[in-house]
Amino acid sequence: MTTSSIITSAMQAAVGAVGERQTVDIERGAILRFAAAIGDANPAYPDRAPPTFLRSLGRAVPDLPDADSVPRALDGGSQWTYGPPVRAGDTVEITTTLDSIKEAQGKLGAMVIADYATRYVNQHGETVATQRNTVIRMGVLA
Amino acid sequence: MSEQPFIDDINVGFALPALVKKPTPRQLVQYAGASGDFYEIHYDKDFAIAQGLPGVIIHGALKSGWIAQVVTDWMGAAGSLQSFSVRYRAMDVPGDTLTCTAKVVGKDEAAGTVRCEIELANGEGSVTTTGEAVVGLPTR
């Protein structure tokens, strides 16, 4: 079913969808490589992970139906809230929910703004971080 | 690393030490590998141009890492980053010199936290990325 909006009914119906839960072991080597890639020589690493390291663990974002109509994706930003530190040797479970979608008009035409909420929980059941991430999707330029 | 800051000594208006980055295409590839973000706009120039971009662009998440780093470099071993946010206003490209600055804009003595506003500016001085962080600091 089509509407005048670029948000299709299938897209709208996907709000609340949860991606596959991932379970990841936090490895010292992965922390070191991540810190080196940022250029961050903080002596707290690799015993602890840098704040944005969690993003590298590969969250599974729930599918956005009809994404072919807006194939160009840009990261709009994130809000992170932290609990206890993430340490090498931890095991972290990650789940991502499609929290909301809305339409906006940008310089380059209509855009779909998708907000995802990701929760990271360690082996003690503690929420080590939550991330709200905005993804901006657009059509390819003519 | 600087000395451990204490909340007793930090007031609104305090400027954190700046962080300067000179990202190269090589660093973007390194970050792609370390982060698992292999979106081609960050290392394949032809692909990026076909997407309407000027060329390869820096991962937003990498800039986000620097926005956090300007705070974690300063807060010391006894400091804790409690929350932070980042907003991308414009793209950045490798070869440019990027400078992250941050200042304290709020202080909650009871909670033992300060709130910092963070900016990342390109070589022309335009702010392309902004952030905010709440940082816990120890008392003397």
Side-chain angles (χ1 to χ4, degrees):
Chain A
M1 204 171 83
T2 55
T3 66
S4 60
S5 168
I6 60 165
I7 295 177
T8 65
S9 49
M11 281 183 197
Q12 194 61 55
V15 172
V18 182
E20 193 187 336
R21 186 169 66 187
Q22 313 283 109
T23 303
V24 181
D25 295 329
I26 307 299
E27 298 166 2
R28 288 175 70 86
I31 295 175
L32 277 175
R33 281 190 295 277
F34 188 87
I38 291 180
D40 188 340
N42 195 313
Y45 316 143
D47 293 330
R48 290 172 55 162
T52 60
F53 172 78
L54 291 170
R55 187 161 186 151
S56 73
L57 301 182
R59 63 185 187 153
V61 172
D63 285 337
L64 184 70
D66 301 327
D68 290 354
S69 63
V70 279
R72 193 176 151 205
L74 286 176
D75 185 346
S78 284
Q79 284 176 274
W80 293 83
T81 306
Y82 294 100
V86 176
R87 299 183 183 281
D90 282 354
T91 299
V92 175
E93 280 189 355
I94 308 156
T95 46
T96 299
T97 307
L98 175 59
D99 231 30
S100 68
I101 54 174
K102 60 178 194 266
E103 183 170 353
Q105 285 296 323
K107 280 180 290 189
L108 305 174
M111 309 183 293
V112 175
I113 314 285
D115 273 334
Y116 296 93
T118 303
R119 173 176 281 225
Y120 301 84
V121 178
N122 69 12
Q123 70 276 20
H124 307 299
E126 300 164 325
T127 298
V128 290
T130 55
Q131 178 195 6
R132 288 189 61 88
N133 173 227
T134 303
V135 176
I136 302 163
R137 302 194 68 108
M138 287 167 273
V140 175
L141 298 181
Chain B
M1 299 294 285
S2 42
E3 284 175 27
Q4 177 65 53
F6 294 93
I7 192 152
D8 319 61
D9 306 330
I10 304 297
N11 291 304
V12 169
F14 176 84
L16 281 62
L19 177 69
V20 177
K21 296 287 181 177
K22 296 181 178 176
T24 58
R26 179 192 175 98
Q27 184 173 18
L28 301 197
V29 172
Q30 193 181 2
Y31 185 78
S35 71
D37 180 349
F38 290 103
Y39 193 21
E40 291 86 344
I41 59 172
H42 303 302
Y43 56 86
D44 182 337
K45 188 176 180 182
D46 292 343
F47 182 94
I49 288 171
Q51 295 289 304
L53 297 169
V56 298
I57 62 167
I58 297 174
H59 298 77
L62 177 52
K63 296 199 287 180
S64 170
W66 297 328
I67 293 271
Q69 188 187 350
V70 72
V71 175
T72 55
D73 273 357
W74 164 72
M75 70 186 188
S80 63
L81 180 63
Q82 301 191 352
S83 66
F84 100 102
S85 62
V86 61
R87 186 175 290 268
Y88 308 117
R89 292 187 186 175
M91 296 175 283
D92 284 292
V93 295
D96 204 354
T97 297
L98 306 177
T99 304
C100 289
T101 54
K103 64 171 190 269
V104 173
V105 296
K107 178 173 173 176
D108 183 338
E109 207 119 15
T113 58
V114 293
R115 195 161 55 83
C116 304
E117 276 180 5
I118 310 156
E119 291 184 342
L120 183 151
N122 64 19
E124 292 177 345
S126 299
V127 173
T128 63
T129 313
T130 58
E132 214 178 275
V134 174
V135 184
L137 292 176
T139 48
R140 277 195 185 278

